[in-house]
Amino acid sequence: MTSPDDIVHRLSVEGADPLALSGVNDANLHELARLAGVRVSLRGDQLSLAGTLDAVERAAPIARGMIELARLGEEMNAEDVRHLADNAGRGRLENGKNGDLRIVLPGMRRIVAPKTVGQRAYVQAMLDNEIVVGIGPAGTGKTYLAVAVAVDMLQKKRVKRIILARPAVEAGERLGFLPGDLQAKVDPYLRPLYDALEDMMPPDKMQRALESRTIEIAPLAYMRGRTLGEAFVILDEAQNTTGMQMKMFLTRLGASSRAVVTADKTQIDLPSREESGILQVERILPGIDGIGFCYLEDADVLRHRLVRQIIKAYQEDAGG
């Protein structure tokens, strides 16, 4: 029912994928209406928001975020709309800034773009610095976005190879007790890196790159004694490196190389938390030109909404 106090705000959706914007059976529009308390309609190149002034002001930034994602060709569902609403409520939703940072993946018909303020800052840091340390909880896209930037730089010939590394096991890369040959031993620990890469490249192209060692996925121990020139190097799960391992990794970089270190400080599995190399670099490396630190938080989590709530509950429990 229309009230005399209701207003209508119209937004241009020109260039946006209408199906991506509305969702299956208009689920995204229904979720926007439910969250903001407005009536939503999509007609031609206009999205209309009708309701009280307060409701429309709540809905407008969320709707602009939805339109921006639809223009980038991003798949969207009701969970993404809820995430946009959560960021808008925290004052962390900025619009119109994803386009410059989007990553087009040739052969995949996909675009990867940062969806939150924290993710935008993270991608920008990777473009601006030779070394970036990305710290944040699970689900914030630390590894995924780093792999996307690496693949983009490889395709643009800004680097000649990609090297993805992880500590092979939490307590110092002890693999001997596992069955099988060396590859069988390390594959379970490296699988998340393969998964991210498979999202970025066609299978045949990825296989050729692995066979030619244009892309290398290996345990951190394999980096010892090497000089990594003209490479984009990612150290994942860095909270489980010791101080010596971290120093070894960072001092491998050669000319024209870039490195991204990702870590979740809430998941340090070393026998002594104080041994973690990520805590050491936080103390000694800030302020060095060319090294950027980027901190993501629970508002940047893009997995299921319950993941954000679980992370928040653990943070509150640790603080109490």
Side-chain angles (χ1 to χ4, degrees):
M1 180 178 291
T2 302
S3 164
D5 295 328
D6 281 358
I7 66 168
V8 178
H9 182 50
R10 294 181 176 85
L11 298 168
S12 172
V13 299
E14 187 176 357
D17 181 337
L19 180 57
L21 178 60
S22 60
V24 178
N25 297 323
D26 293 336
N28 297 343
L29 303 183
H30 292 319
E31 188 65 12
L32 172 61
R34 184 187 73 80
L35 291 168
V38 294
R39 296 183 302 282
V40 182
S41 62
L42 179 62
R43 297 286 185 274
D45 285 342
Q46 282 195 336
L47 180 71
S48 297
L49 310 173
T52 66
L53 177 61
D54 286 347
V56 170
E57 286 182 341
R58 268 196 312 273
I62 306 169
R64 284 194 293 267
M66 293 169 62
I67 293 167
E68 182 184 349
L69 291 177
R71 282 177 175 149
L72 293 174
E74 286 282 318
E75 294 182 6
M76 197 183 340
N77 55 33
E79 182 68 31
D80 293 313
V81 178
R82 288 191 289 271
H83 181 74
L84 287 168
D86 182 54
N87 274 277
R90 296 165 180 253
R92 301 183 78 251
L93 192 61
E94 298 176 7
N95 297 287
K97 294 187 178 180
N98 276 343
D100 294 338
L101 298 177
R102 64 180 180 172
I103 298 165
V104 180
L105 300 171
M108 297 296 285
R109 297 183 180 177
R110 288 190 57 230
I111 294 173
V112 174
K115 293 184 177 181
T116 70
V117 174
Q119 288 190 346
R120 280 192 281 274
Y122 181 47
V123 172
Q124 191 65 58
M126 287 188 277
L127 299 177
D128 292 343
N129 296 277
E130 283 77 33
I131 297 176
V132 172
V133 181
I135 297 174
T140 51
K142 301 183 301 295
T143 303
Y144 193 82
L145 289 172
V147 172
V149 172
V151 170
D152 186 52
M153 288 194 176
L154 180 68
Q155 291 169 342
K156 292 176 178 176
K157 301 188 185 306
R158 295 180 61 184
V159 296
K160 291 185 176 179
R161 54 182 172 158
I162 297 172
I163 299 173
L164 310 174
R166 263 190 166 199
V169 296
E170 293 77 4
E173 305 188 347
R174 293 190 291 269
L175 299 172
F177 67 93
L178 293 173
D181 59 17
L182 182 61
Q183 195 63 42
K185 293 175 191 288
V186 301
D187 267 355
Y189 299 101
L190 303 178
R191 174 44 53 187
L193 298 175
Y194 283 100
D195 290 344
L197 203 55
E198 286 169 357
D199 266 3
M200 310 292 171
M201 302 177 71
D204 57 336
K205 187 174 182 180
M206 175 180 163
Q207 189 59 40
R208 288 196 301 271
L210 289 169
E211 290 172 356
S212 66
R213 300 182 74 82
T214 302
I215 297 178
E216 183 179 347
I217 303 176
L220 175 60
Y222 281 30
M223 302 298 107
R224 193 174 300 278
R226 301 177 63 182
T227 298
L228 308 174
E230 297 182 281
F232 195 112
V233 192
I234 300 172
L235 174 57
D236 195 36
E237 297 288 338
Q239 73 273 4
N240 290 322
T241 62
T242 64
M244 289 300 295
Q245 287 174 322
M246 181 67 78
K247 179 182 178 182
M248 178 273 291
F249 171 78
L250 292 174
T251 55
R252 297 307 91 203
L253 289 186
S256 303
S257 285
R258 290 174 176 263
V260 176
V261 176
T262 73
D264 179 354
K265 292 192 294 182
T266 68
Q267 297 192 35
I268 296 175
D269 297 310
L270 296 171
S272 171
R273 176 182 172 85
E274 287 68 33
E275 291 181 2
S276 174
I278 200 65
L279 300 181
Q280 186 179 44
V281 299
E282 272 193 297
R283 290 195 307 270
I284 66 176
L285 296 186
I288 297 178
D289 187 39
I291 300 180
F293 282 78
C294 190
Y295 291 86
L296 296 108
E297 50 191 73
D298 61 307
D300 299 304
V301 173
L302 292 178
R303 292 180 184 169
H304 194 283
R305 64 178 177 83
L306 289 178
V307 174
R308 293 199 299 277
Q309 295 178 17
I310 289 167
I311 290 169
K312 184 177 180 181
Y314 271 95
Q315 289 173 338
E316 291 173 350
D317 183 66

